[in-house]
Amino acid sequence: MSKVIYFRDQLKRPLRDLRISVTDRCNFRCTYCMPREIFGPDHVFLPRSSLLTFDEIFRFAKVAVSSGIEKIRLTGGEPLLRKDIEHLIAKLATLRTPAGNKIDLTLTTNGTLLGKKAAALKEAGLTRVTVSLDALNQDIFAQMSDSRVSVETVLDSINQAGEAGLKPVKVNMVVRKGINDHQILPMARHFRGSGHILRFIEYMDVGDTNGWNMQEVVTGKEIIDIISTEFPLKSREAEHHGQVAKSWEYKDGAGEIGVITSVSQPFCGDCTRLRLSPEGKMFLCLFASKGFDIRAMLRSGASDQEIQSRLASVWGARTDQYSEQRGANMPTDGPKIEMSYIGG
Ligand code: SF4
């Protein structure tokens, strides 16, 4: 069992988390991520031939895990739309860190396909799951997701995932002022005591298509204040370095919630996340404009060592801290990547 030598970037942040987007397709059109007016019937998605195969994803992940990665999150678009994703999960679940530990293998989904797949995903080796749900009220849910899926479908999926052992199930709610902010308390009431962890996400200026403006942001502090009017809360210590959500727990023991405050209290200083796009580009920030291709190396017979040194040089040169610099008009390399392409 060898000691883990973490790759560190220019801000001394270790490489620990890998987010793998396995598709840019989704069956929702959430207005803050994939607005239909941009991602309409004529939108051209990535051709299948350009997507990394499961073997290529596994190979890159193996090299990344030997370079310090301890947690892998599968994202999209909607990752459960990728055919036979259980096969990829089964491969990734065989990975061990240099210290011999299992990796924390998780997935973010909109929940529409999760119900019937939960047991198979668990069987394949998935550790836990995060489900997006922006409202309990059907009309507001439809407005946020721009879909005709019923809230019941997603709620059933959350429970089935819990029953299948994909625990704790985390439920992510993106809050937009004037659209679903009055669903904060109904959501808190619903998930209190359920064992599922509800997390509130500040509306972010991801990509360049969601028409973001600061007036529509409900800050983490405002969300906590709203919930505290009915349910007293106390803050909790972060469980690990680089934890994204700030944790709180109900004083009456009814469980915990989280707030993700990328806008009001950025956390770039602890950001240990690398992202891999569906067609094999490495991105160093959710708000990046430029990616670093690794597919050509994977398809041209490069050795694991060569891929590892490419990873080391890309991460080593990283200085990204978009959220800390938001509004500072920092120079960019062009339009920001879309969240529906790179995942949250
Ligand atoms: S803005 Fe970029 S650097 Fe900052 S926490 Fe998010 S992904 Fe990390």
Side-chain angles (χ1 to χ4, degrees):
M1 265 189 280
S2 52
K3 191 171 171 317
V4 184
I5 310 295
Y6 292 109
F7 291 178
R8 289 188 181 272
D9 69 11
Q10 293 295 304
L11 305 179
K12 302 275 175 282
R13 298 170 292 187
L15 171 62
R16 277 241 181 89
D17 298 67
L18 175 61
R19 297 191 173 193
I20 303 174
S21 174
V22 294
T23 179
D24 61 341
R25 296 167 190 261
C26 187
N27 50 356
F28 275 12
R29 287 292 179 275
C30 299
T31 53
Y32 53 84
C33 173
M34 205 176 188
R36 194 178 293 281
E37 54 276 17
I38 310 288
F39 298 90
D42 311 330
H43 179 74
V44 180
F45 290 101
L46 292 168
R48 191 154 183 78
S49 58
S50 76
L51 302 184
L52 291 186
T53 64
F54 289 168
D55 288 342
E56 290 165 341
I57 293 173
F58 174 71
R59 182 142 177 254
F60 179 77
K62 188 161 69 68
V63 171
V65 169
S66 70
S67 316
I69 291 288
E70 296 167 353
K71 178 177 165 184
I72 293 179
R73 177 178 296 280
L74 298 176
T75 67
E78 171 47 46
L80 297 182
L81 286 175
R82 181 89 187 244
K83 196 165 169 298
D84 300 330
I85 193 160
E86 296 87 347
H87 298 171
L88 172 62
I89 290 168
K91 292 164 89 68
L92 294 172
T94 64
L95 294 171
R96 296 290 179 271
T97 66
N101 301 323
K102 272 187 170 188
I103 57 165
D104 181 12
L105 185 53
T106 181
L107 178 146
T108 302
T109 171
N110 61 27
T112 49
L113 304 169
L114 177 62
K116 58 178 186 284
K117 280 182 174 272
L121 295 170
K122 178 66 182 174
E123 177 70 27
L126 194 67
T127 320
R128 52 198 174 77
V129 72
T130 298
V131 181
S132 308
L133 179 64
D134 298 325
L136 287 178
N137 173 286
Q138 185 60 44
D139 296 339
I140 298 165
F141 175 71
Q143 192 182 352
M144 291 289 286
S145 64
D146 194 358
S147 80
R148 292 204 195 88
V149 170
S150 79
V151 170
E152 285 318 307
T153 301
V154 181
L155 290 173
D156 290 347
S157 287
I158 290 169
N159 293 332
Q160 286 161 304
E163 282 147 24
L166 295 169
K167 285 192 253 192
V169 176
K170 295 185 175 176
V171 179
N172 281 358
M173 174 185 181
V174 172
V175 181
R176 274 185 91 166
K177 196 177 281 180
I179 300 185
N180 69 334
D181 51 329
H182 48 286
Q183 286 281 293
I184 292 170
L185 272 171
M187 288 278 283
R189 291 184 197 117
H190 180 87
F191 287 104
R192 269 169 50 81
S194 68
H196 306 315
I197 302 174
L198 179 57
R199 291 132 42 103
F200 300 92
I201 303 179
E202 291 180 349
Y203 174 39
M204 295 181 283
D205 51 336
V206 284
D208 280 324
T209 60
N210 68 5
W212 182 84
N213 74 62
M214 190 61 201
Q215 279 64 49
E216 287 187 272
V217 173
V218 181
T219 67
K221 181 179 179 322
E222 290 168 326
I223 292 166
I224 293 298
D225 290 348
I226 289 167
I227 296 171
S228 301
T229 59
E230 196 166 320
F231 308 112
L233 291 161
K234 64 182 177 195
S235 72
R236 288 165 57 110
E237 287 302 307
E239 273 157 28
H240 58 84
H241 179 81
Q243 181 173 307
V244 173
K246 292 175 179 56
S247 282
W248 295 76
E249 63 183 45
Y250 295 109
K251 284 187 176 165
D252 64 1
E256 67 176 276
I257 61 170
V259 280
I260 298 176
T261 60
S262 167
V263 178
S264 67
Q265 294 167 285
F267 37 83
C268 303
D270 284 342
C271 182
T272 58
R273 292 173 288 283
L274 173 71
R275 291 173 166 84
L276 183 68
S277 72
E279 83 287 21
K281 289 198 178 103
M282 297 182 279
F283 287 91
L284 300 171
C285 175
L286 175 58
F287 301 88
S289 305
K290 190 172 127 221
F292 304 86
D293 182 70
I294 197 73
R295 184 183 62 190
M297 291 181 80
L298 289 165
R299 292 187 178 178
S300 65
S303 68
D304 285 0
Q305 285 66 31
E306 288 167 327
I307 290 168
Q308 189 172 49
S309 45
R310 168 79 168 147
L311 174 57
S313 64
V314 167
W315 185 263
R318 180 189 188 226
T319 56
D320 299 63
Q321 42 181 342
Y322 175 88
S323 286
E324 310 272 357
Q325 298 163 336
R326 183 181 279 111
N329 296 327
M330 302 298 286
T332 68
D333 298 307
K336 289 180 279 165
I337 49 175
E338 294 298 328
M339 187 157 83
S340 60
Y341 158 77
I342 201 61

